Amino acid sequence: MPLTISLRSWGEIFILGLIWGASFFSIRVALWEVPFLTSVLHRTGWAMLVLWALVIALRLRVPREPRIWFAFLIMGILNNVIPFSLMAWAQIHVETGVISILNSVTALFAVLVAALFFVDERLTLSRLIGVTLGVTGCATVIGLENLDGLDIYSIAQLAVLIGTLSYAFAAAWARLHLTTLSPIMAATGMLTMATLLLLPVAQIFDGPMEFNLMPITWLAIAYYSLIATAGAYLLYFHIIATSGSGNTMLVTLIIPPVAIFLGAAFLDESLDWTAFVGFFFIALGLFILDGNWFNKINPNGSS
C-alpha cells in the first residue's frame, strides 16, 4: 500500500465517492415506480451486460471450472443480492443520507471479518479502537433507545447493517477464492450469478419486469446500473491497483456528504443531529484504522 496518494489518485477517489454517493439518490428515484427486488435486478442485469461486452472486447479468458462459478455464485449473493436488496428495501423507509452513513460501516466490519479468517489481518490496538469508535457512531445514528420498541424505521436501519456485514464477508470470500482472476472477469462472473439468482426471485415477489417506465425512472436505472455499478467497479479496481485497498477506504468518507446533500436538495430530507455525530465517530474510526492517513497527503507523490 503506497504511503502517499498523488493528486490524480485523490481525484479518482473523489470521483468514485461522487458516483457512489449519487447512487443512493438514483435508487430512491427508481423505487418510486419499480419494486425493490426488480430495481436490484435492473442494477445487476444491465451492469452484467456491459461487463460481458468488455470481456468480449478485451478477449479475456472466461473460466470454465465449476468451482470458480460456484465462487462467483457465493460472491454474487454476498456482494450483490443480499446487500443490494436489503439497502433498496431500506431506502423505502429510511432517508438516503442515513443509509449512506450506515453503509460506511462496511470498512469497519471488513476489519473484523478479516481478523477471523486471515492470520495477517489480526486486530491491533489501533484497529480495535477504530472499530469501537465506528460501532459507537453506528449506535448513535440508530439510537439504541429505538431498539426497545422496533418499528419499521429501526428494522430498516438494521437491514442496512446486515448488508454492510455481507459486504465484509464478500471481501473475505473474494480474497480466498477470486484473487487469481482478472478483476473485470471477477466482477462479470459475480454479477452474472447474482442476476441469474435474482431473475426468478424478482419474478415471484414482484411479478414480470415492466419496461413501460417513466423517463426519469429509466434515467435513474441507467445511472445506478451502468455508471454506479459497472463503471464504478472498473474505477474501484483501478484505484485499488494504483493506491492500495487501504487508501481506497477514503471513498467511504466522501459518499455520505454527497448522499446527504442530494437527499436534502431533491428529496426534501432532513437528518437529526445524531446522524451527523454518528458519522463523525464512524469517520474518526476509519482514520484510526490506519495511523498513516495524514502522511499520505502528498500532492507531488506518485501513486
Side-chain angles (χ1 to χ4, degrees):
M1 183 195 307
L3 291 180
T4 61
I5 307 177
S6 69
L7 278 179
R8 177 176 176 176
S9 294
W10 276 114
E12 292 169 345
I13 291 171
F14 184 73
I15 290 172
L16 184 60
L18 289 178
I19 291 173
W20 275 341
S23 69
F24 292 93
F25 169 73
S26 63
I27 291 170
R28 187 65 189 90
V29 170
L31 288 171
W32 289 337
E33 188 177 7
V34 179
F36 78 93
L37 286 174
T38 301
S39 75
V40 177
L41 178 58
H42 275 296
R43 182 174 186 178
T44 62
W46 298 115
M48 173 197 70
L49 293 177
V50 169
L51 290 180
W52 270 116
L54 190 59
V55 167
I56 294 171
L58 297 176
R59 297 181 179 180
L60 298 180
R61 176 187 174 273
V62 178
R64 297 183 180 181
E65 298 86 344
R67 63 177 181 81
I68 293 181
W69 284 97
F70 176 76
F72 285 153
L73 173 62
I74 301 302
M75 189 67 180
I77 293 172
L78 292 175
N79 204 58
N80 301 132
V81 176
I82 292 176
F84 287 2
S85 300
L86 288 176
M87 291 186 189
W89 173 78
Q91 283 198 247
I92 301 173
H93 307 285
V94 179
E95 299 90 344
T96 56
V98 170
I99 291 178
S100 68
I101 291 173
L102 294 176
N103 180 70
S104 63
V105 178
T106 298
L108 304 173
F109 279 150
V111 170
L112 293 177
V113 172
L116 292 175
F117 289 97
F118 308 111
V119 294
D120 59 339
E121 295 282 357
R122 291 176 181 171
L123 281 178
T124 61
L125 179 60
S126 63
R127 287 182 175 182
L128 187 59
I129 293 173
V131 169
T132 302
L133 284 170
V135 171
T136 301
C138 182
T140 304
V141 173
I142 295 178
L144 294 181
E145 68 280 0
N146 295 326
L147 299 181
D148 290 337
L150 283 177
D151 56 13
I152 193 67
Y153 188 84
S154 300
I155 292 173
Q157 291 182 90
L158 292 176
V160 175
L161 291 181
I162 295 173
T164 63
L165 184 60
S166 186
Y167 278 138
F169 277 102
W173 180 265
R175 178 176 172 183
L176 288 169
H177 300 282
L178 300 177
T179 53
T180 59
L181 297 172
S182 157
I184 297 175
M185 190 63 245
T188 304
M190 170 188 70
L191 288 170
T192 298
M193 300 308 287
T195 300
L196 292 176
L197 185 60
L198 283 165
L199 274 169
V201 175
Q203 173 77 22
I204 293 170
F205 289 96
D206 294 344
M209 181 181 287
E210 295 287 341
F211 293 94
N212 185 24
L213 304 174
M214 293 186 297
I216 190 173
T217 304
W218 276 118
L219 186 62
I221 290 172
Y223 178 82
Y224 71 66
S225 62
L226 303 183
I227 297 177
T229 302
Y233 270 138
L234 299 179
L235 180 57
Y236 173 74
F237 286 129
H238 168 74
I239 295 173
I240 287 179
T242 58
S243 300
S245 58
N247 291 333
T248 308
M249 282 200 309
L250 284 168
V251 74
T252 60
L253 303 180
I254 301 169
I255 294 172
V258 176
I260 291 169
F261 170 77
L262 292 175
F266 299 103
L267 300 176
D268 198 28
E269 294 180 351
S270 59
L271 304 186
D272 190 82
W273 65 271
T274 56
F276 296 98
V277 173
F279 177 58
F280 169 78
F281 280 111
I282 293 171
L284 184 60
L286 289 172
F287 273 95
I288 293 177
L289 281 178
D290 185 340
N292 294 316
W293 288 115
F294 297 104
N295 294 330
K296 296 172 183 175
I297 303 175
N298 177 19
N300 298 313
S302 62
S303 59

